[in-house]
Amino acid sequence: MEERKIKVGITHGDINGVGYEVILKTFANPAMLELCTPVVYGSPKVAAYHRKAMDLQANFSIVNSASEAQDGRLSIVSSTEDELKVELSKPTAEGGQAALDALEKAMCEYGEGLFDVLVTAPANPDTMRAGDFTFSGHEAYLEERSGKNSKALPVLLKDDFRMALVTGVMPVKEAASILSQELVMEKIETFHRSLKVDFGIDSPRIAVFSLNPYAGNGISEGSEEERIIIPALEAMSKRGVLCFGPYAADAFMGAGNYKHFDGVLAMYYGQGATPFMTLATSEGVRFTAGLPIVHTAPVHGAAYDMAGKGIASEDSFRQAVYVALDVFRRRRTEAEISARPLRKQYYEKRDDSDKLKLDTVEED
């Protein structure tokens, strides 16, 4: 029998941004409808407004829930107020509430098993917080909805370049204050598991950034490397995880050493996002590792400066759909293998011979 198409739940994001533009452009391509069954949680009226304003060639059906979505069609579930005021290029409380309404409706239907993966169009956490949204972003919200035993790990990725973040969007001084050996170990473990299961890498190699410049070796640099990061790396290495560092972010990225690893773990948002966005903005994807739900998003924000002009690229959003589909298939395969395990015939022997040694960059 033919395998059913994966059903993709999509939240419309900020109605004043480029969310509907990138959604409609993506699924105007019939080939995308061959890969999956997309269901948008949002507003049919707002979708029609954006489609007309930018003369986009995309049709959609209005359904009551994802259970009614048909293959080969883009469907929209009405998830917010019927009468919404669209103010293109402007962050508004109404736009934030509409984004939150769509997210909550989507998660309710996900809980009922009505779709398989979640892709969120760009929203503005600041306007969402004007309502009942108390989280820093989608990852924190989804972590809360998934239960206390699930820990989200934001991963920015493009092809084989994967940048994970120990801490999310917050002031740097706050990120430094919450850093601990336990937290770093938790994030390494989550990243390691995701690289194996979600990306199919048997023995992933993870590079870990230092918190301080020069990897903490400067005269007046901090001591987090010696107290927190190095002990975390040593503890995880004893568990068989191939993790290396800590590396100074500037020298590491400048030398292109990220190409030698399956993933890189940054200590805070700016440390990881800045080099990633410099190298991979156009087709980059934000993936949330560590949660039961498969969640992806484009790496760009609501892009108010482009809203309504028809010039926003859908590349990042389309890649987010691709990644969600690939991860879902790999998790499904892993679940099938785990359900019928083969008897282990030998034990893998590890030593330190495969540790990658990079030249350290010393201060002039």
Side-chain angles (χ1 to χ4, degrees), residues 222-249:
S223 61
E224 285 85 359
E225 285 70 32
E226 290 293 333
R227 293 188 297 104
I228 295 172
I229 302 175
I230 292 175
L233 291 171
E234 292 174 346
M236 295 309 296
S237 293
K238 290 178 180 178
R239 298 183 186 181
V241 176
L242 302 178
C243 51
F244 311 87
Y247 301 118

mmCIF file of all heavy atoms in Angstrom, residues 222-249:
data_model
loop_
_atom_site.group_PDB
_atom_site.id
_atom_site.type_symbol
_atom_site.label_atom_id
_atom_site.label_comp_id
_atom_site.label_asym_id
_atom_site.label_seq_id
_atom_site.Cartn_x
_atom_site.Cartn_y
_atom_site.Cartn_z
ATOM 1 N N GLY A 222 37.361 35.255 31.964
ATOM 2 C CA GLY A 222 36.628 34.563 33.013
ATOM 3 C C GLY A 222 37.119 33.147 33.240
ATOM 4 O O GLY A 222 37.992 32.635 32.538
ATOM 5 N N SER A 223 36.512 32.505 34.219
ATOM 6 C CA SER A 223 36.953 31.166 34.609
ATOM 7 C C SER A 223 35.929 30.082 34.281
ATOM 8 O O SER A 223 36.066 28.943 34.722
ATOM 9 C CB SER A 223 37.230 31.143 36.120
ATOM 10 O OG SER A 223 36.036 31.456 36.846
ATOM 11 N N GLU A 224 34.898 30.433 33.501
ATOM 12 C CA GLU A 224 33.834 29.461 33.223
ATOM 13 C C GLU A 224 34.348 28.227 32.488
ATOM 14 O O GLU A 224 33.796 27.130 32.636
ATOM 15 C CB GLU A 224 32.716 30.118 32.404
ATOM 16 C CG GLU A 224 31.830 31.056 33.200
ATOM 17 C CD GLU A 224 32.406 32.454 33.310
ATOM 18 O OE1 GLU A 224 33.528 32.700 32.771
ATOM 19 O OE2 GLU A 224 31.749 33.319 33.923
ATOM 20 N N GLU A 225 35.395 28.396 31.691
ATOM 21 C CA GLU A 225 35.934 27.252 30.959
ATOM 22 C C GLU A 225 36.473 26.189 31.918
ATOM 23 O O GLU A 225 36.148 25.000 31.808
ATOM 24 C CB GLU A 225 37.037 27.710 29.984
ATOM 25 C CG GLU A 225 36.520 28.418 28.751
ATOM 26 C CD GLU A 225 35.944 29.792 29.057
ATOM 27 O OE1 GLU A 225 36.441 30.463 30.009
ATOM 28 O OE2 GLU A 225 35.015 30.222 28.361
ATOM 29 N N GLU A 226 37.291 26.623 32.868
ATOM 30 C CA GLU A 226 37.889 25.683 33.815
ATOM 31 C C GLU A 226 36.856 25.117 34.790
ATOM 32 O O GLU A 226 36.911 23.941 35.150
ATOM 33 C CB GLU A 226 39.013 26.377 34.606
ATOM 34 C CG GLU A 226 40.250 26.706 33.779
ATOM 35 C CD GLU A 226 40.983 25.450 33.326
ATOM 36 O OE1 GLU A 226 40.880 24.409 34.015
ATOM 37 O OE2 GLU A 226 41.649 25.500 32.264
ATOM 38 N N ARG A 227 35.916 25.937 35.216
ATOM 39 C CA ARG A 227 34.950 25.518 36.236
ATOM 40 C C ARG A 227 33.771 24.737 35.675
ATOM 41 O O ARG A 227 33.239 23.847 36.347
ATOM 42 C CB ARG A 227 34.397 26.741 36.979
ATOM 43 C CG ARG A 227 35.395 27.489 37.826
ATOM 44 C CD ARG A 227 34.713 28.561 38.663
ATOM 45 N NE ARG A 227 34.087 29.595 37.842
ATOM 46 C CZ ARG A 227 32.786 29.712 37.616
ATOM 47 N NH1 ARG A 227 31.940 28.835 38.148
ATOM 48 N NH2 ARG A 227 32.302 30.692 36.865
ATOM 49 N N ILE A 228 33.358 25.064 34.428
ATOM 50 C CA ILE A 228 32.087 24.541 33.922
ATOM 51 C C ILE A 228 32.250 23.731 32.640
ATOM 52 O O ILE A 228 31.880 22.555 32.580
ATOM 53 C CB ILE A 228 31.103 25.712 33.666
ATOM 54 C CG1 ILE A 228 30.755 26.402 34.980
ATOM 55 C CG2 ILE A 228 29.843 25.217 32.965
ATOM 56 C CD1 ILE A 228 29.943 27.680 34.809
ATOM 57 N N ILE A 229 32.833 24.346 31.612
ATOM 58 C CA ILE A 229 32.787 23.742 30.283
ATOM 59 C C ILE A 229 33.714 22.548 30.157
ATOM 60 O O ILE A 229 33.316 21.476 29.671
ATOM 61 C CB ILE A 229 33.087 24.798 29.197
ATOM 62 C CG1 ILE A 229 32.072 25.937 29.290
ATOM 63 C CG2 ILE A 229 33.052 24.169 27.808
ATOM 64 C CD1 ILE A 229 32.336 27.097 28.352
ATOM 65 N N ILE A 230 34.964 22.692 30.597
ATOM 66 C CA ILE A 230 35.905 21.569 30.492
ATOM 67 C C ILE A 230 35.443 20.365 31.313
ATOM 68 O O ILE A 230 35.459 19.228 30.810
ATOM 69 C CB ILE A 230 37.330 22.024 30.892
ATOM 70 C CG1 ILE A 230 37.867 22.994 29.835
ATOM 71 C CG2 ILE A 230 38.262 20.819 31.032
ATOM 72 C CD1 ILE A 230 39.223 23.601 30.178
ATOM 73 N N PRO A 231 35.014 20.535 32.575
ATOM 74 C CA PRO A 231 34.494 19.367 33.306
ATOM 75 C C PRO A 231 33.286 18.726 32.618
ATOM 76 O O PRO A 231 33.138 17.497 32.641
ATOM 77 C CB PRO A 231 34.094 19.960 34.666
ATOM 78 C CG PRO A 231 34.983 21.143 34.833
ATOM 79 C CD PRO A 231 35.120 21.720 33.458
ATOM 80 N N ALA A 232 32.433 19.534 31.986
ATOM 81 C CA ALA A 232 31.284 18.982 31.268
ATOM 82 C C ALA A 232 31.740 18.147 30.080
ATOM 83 O O ALA A 232 31.217 17.048 29.834
ATOM 84 C CB ALA A 232 30.362 20.117 30.794
ATOM 85 N N LEU A 233 32.718 18.634 29.343
ATOM 86 C CA LEU A 233 33.246 17.886 28.197
ATOM 87 C C LEU A 233 33.883 16.576 28.648
ATOM 88 O O LEU A 233 33.683 15.523 28.022
ATOM 89 C CB LEU A 233 34.271 18.733 27.451
ATOM 90 C CG LEU A 233 33.747 19.959 26.700
ATOM 91 C CD1 LEU A 233 34.895 20.813 26.192
ATOM 92 C CD2 LEU A 233 32.865 19.538 25.549
ATOM 93 N N GLU A 234 34.645 16.634 29.732
ATOM 94 C CA GLU A 234 35.290 15.416 30.234
ATOM 95 C C GLU A 234 34.265 14.388 30.679
ATOM 96 O O GLU A 234 34.413 13.182 30.398
ATOM 97 C CB GLU A 234 36.235 15.772 31.385
ATOM 98 C CG GLU A 234 37.442 16.584 30.936
ATOM 99 C CD GLU A 234 38.294 17.062 32.096
ATOM 100 O OE1 GLU A 234 37.806 17.002 33.265
ATOM 101 O OE2 GLU A 234 39.445 17.502 31.867
ATOM 102 N N ALA A 235 33.210 14.845 31.346
ATOM 103 C CA ALA A 235 32.174 13.924 31.815
ATOM 104 C C ALA A 235 31.431 13.291 30.646
ATOM 105 O O ALA A 235 31.142 12.082 30.660
ATOM 106 C CB ALA A 235 31.192 14.667 32.729
ATOM 107 N N MET A 236 31.122 14.077 29.624
ATOM 108 C CA MET A 236 30.400 13.528 28.474
ATOM 109 C C MET A 236 31.288 12.613 27.638
ATOM 110 O O MET A 236 30.813 11.625 27.069
ATOM 111 C CB MET A 236 29.853 14.667 27.619
ATOM 112 C CG MET A 236 28.788 15.516 28.307
ATOM 113 S SD MET A 236 27.433 14.537 29.028
ATOM 114 C CE MET A 236 26.726 13.803 27.546
ATOM 115 N N SER A 237 32.581 12.923 27.569
ATOM 116 C CA SER A 237 33.511 12.044 26.848
ATOM 117 C C SER A 237 33.569 10.664 27.494
ATOM 118 O O SER A 237 33.653 9.639 26.808
ATOM 119 C CB SER A 237 34.913 12.662 26.806
ATOM 120 O OG SER A 237 34.931 13.828 26.026
ATOM 121 N N LYS A 238 33.518 10.617 28.835
ATOM 122 C CA LYS A 238 33.517 9.343 29.537
ATOM 123 C C LYS A 238 32.262 8.521 29.234
ATOM 124 O O LYS A 238 32.270 7.301 29.379
ATOM 125 C CB LYS A 238 33.632 9.582 31.047
ATOM 126 C CG LYS A 238 35.002 10.103 31.479
ATOM 127 C CD LYS A 238 35.053 10.361 32.971
ATOM 128 C CE LYS A 238 36.415 10.890 33.393
ATOM 129 N NZ LYS A 238 36.477 11.188 34.860
ATOM 130 N N ARG A 239 31.199 9.203 28.810
ATOM 131 C CA ARG A 239 29.964 8.510 28.429
ATOM 132 C C ARG A 239 29.977 8.068 26.966
ATOM 133 O O ARG A 239 29.005 7.539 26.462
ATOM 134 C CB ARG A 239 28.754 9.411 28.662
ATOM 135 C CG ARG A 239 28.539 9.814 30.112
ATOM 136 C CD ARG A 239 27.273 10.647 30.231
ATOM 137 N NE ARG A 239 27.091 11.186 31.581
ATOM 138 C CZ ARG A 239 26.061 11.929 31.970
ATOM 139 N NH1 ARG A 239 25.097 12.210 31.078
ATOM 140 N NH2 ARG A 239 25.980 12.385 33.198
ATOM 141 N N GLY A 240 31.099 8.324 26.284
ATOM 142 C CA GLY A 240 31.208 7.907 24.891
ATOM 143 C C GLY A 240 30.769 8.938 23.882
ATOM 144 O O GLY A 240 30.673 8.638 22.690
ATOM 145 N N VAL A 241 30.507 10.164 24.338
ATOM 146 C CA VAL A 241 30.103 11.231 23.421
ATOM 147 C C VAL A 241 31.360 11.912 22.881
ATOM 148 O O VAL A 241 32.242 12.301 23.649
ATOM 149 C CB VAL A 241 29.208 12.267 24.131
ATOM 150 C CG1 VAL A 241 28.867 13.427 23.191
ATOM 151 C CG2 VAL A 241 27.932 11.603 24.631
ATOM 152 N N LEU A 242 31.441 12.056 21.553
ATOM 153 C CA LEU A 242 32.592 12.693 20.934
ATOM 154 C C LEU A 242 32.406 14.202 20.928
ATOM 155 O O LEU A 242 31.837 14.776 19.997
ATOM 156 C CB LEU A 242 32.768 12.174 19.501
ATOM 157 C CG LEU A 242 32.950 10.656 19.358
ATOM 158 C CD1 LEU A 242 33.073 10.270 17.897
ATOM 159 C CD2 LEU A 242 34.162 10.186 20.151
ATOM 160 N N CYS A 243 32.848 14.843 21.999
ATOM 161 C CA CYS A 243 32.719 16.294 22.120
ATOM 162 C C CYS A 243 34.097 16.894 22.380
ATOM 163 O O CYS A 243 34.913 16.314 23.102
ATOM 164 C CB CYS A 243 31.737 16.665 23.227
ATOM 165 S SG CYS A 243 32.042 15.882 24.823
ATOM 166 N N PHE A 244 34.352 18.058 21.796
ATOM 167 C CA PHE A 244 35.692 18.625 21.778
ATOM 168 C C PHE A 244 35.632 20.120 22.080
ATOM 169 O O PHE A 244 34.668 20.795 21.747
ATOM 170 C CB PHE A 244 36.345 18.412 20.412
ATOM 171 C CG PHE A 244 36.251 16.992 19.918
ATOM 172 C CD1 PHE A 244 35.145 16.560 19.211
ATOM 173 C CD2 PHE A 244 37.270 16.085 20.173
ATOM 174 C CE1 PHE A 244 35.049 15.249 18.753
ATOM 175 C CE2 PHE A 244 37.178 14.773 19.723
ATOM 176 C CZ PHE A 244 36.066 14.347 19.017
ATOM 177 N N GLY A 245 36.709 20.632 22.671
ATOM 178 C CA GLY A 245 36.767 22.051 22.958
ATOM 179 C C GLY A 245 37.304 22.290 24.356
ATOM 180 O O GLY A 245 37.919 21.408 24.958
ATOM 181 N N PRO A 246 37.022 23.451 24.938
ATOM 182 C CA PRO A 246 36.257 24.559 24.343
ATOM 183 C C PRO A 246 37.109 25.376 23.370
ATOM 184 O O PRO A 246 38.288 25.596 23.597
ATOM 185 C CB PRO A 246 35.861 25.394 25.558
ATOM 186 C CG PRO A 246 36.926 25.126 26.571
ATOM 187 C CD PRO A 246 37.385 23.712 26.351
ATOM 188 N N TYR A 247 36.468 25.801 22.275
ATOM 189 C CA TYR A 247 37.127 26.578 21.250
ATOM 190 C C TYR A 247 36.664 28.029 21.298
ATOM 191 O O TYR A 247 35.483 28.303 21.507
ATOM 192 C CB TYR A 247 36.823 26.018 19.861
ATOM 193 C CG TYR A 247 37.245 24.576 19.673
ATOM 194 C CD1 TYR A 247 36.299 23.594 19.390
ATOM 195 C CD2 TYR A 247 38.581 24.215 19.752
ATOM 196 C CE1 TYR A 247 36.677 22.279 19.199
ATOM 197 C CE2 TYR A 247 38.974 22.901 19.568
ATOM 198 C CZ TYR A 247 38.025 21.929 19.294
ATOM 199 O OH TYR A 247 38.414 20.629 19.113
ATOM 200 N N ALA A 248 37.587 28.945 21.065
ATOM 201 C CA ALA A 248 37.217 30.344 20.913
ATOM 202 C C ALA A 248 36.428 30.491 19.626
ATOM 203 O O ALA A 248 36.878 30.060 18.557
ATOM 204 C CB ALA A 248 38.469 31.214 20.873
ATOM 205 N N ALA A 249 35.245 31.084 19.715
ATOM 206 C CA ALA A 249 34.325 31.117 18.577
ATOM 207 C C ALA A 249 34.913 31.829 17.368
ATOM 208 O O ALA A 249 34.765 31.367 16.226
ATOM 209 C CB ALA A 249 33.008 31.777 18.990
#
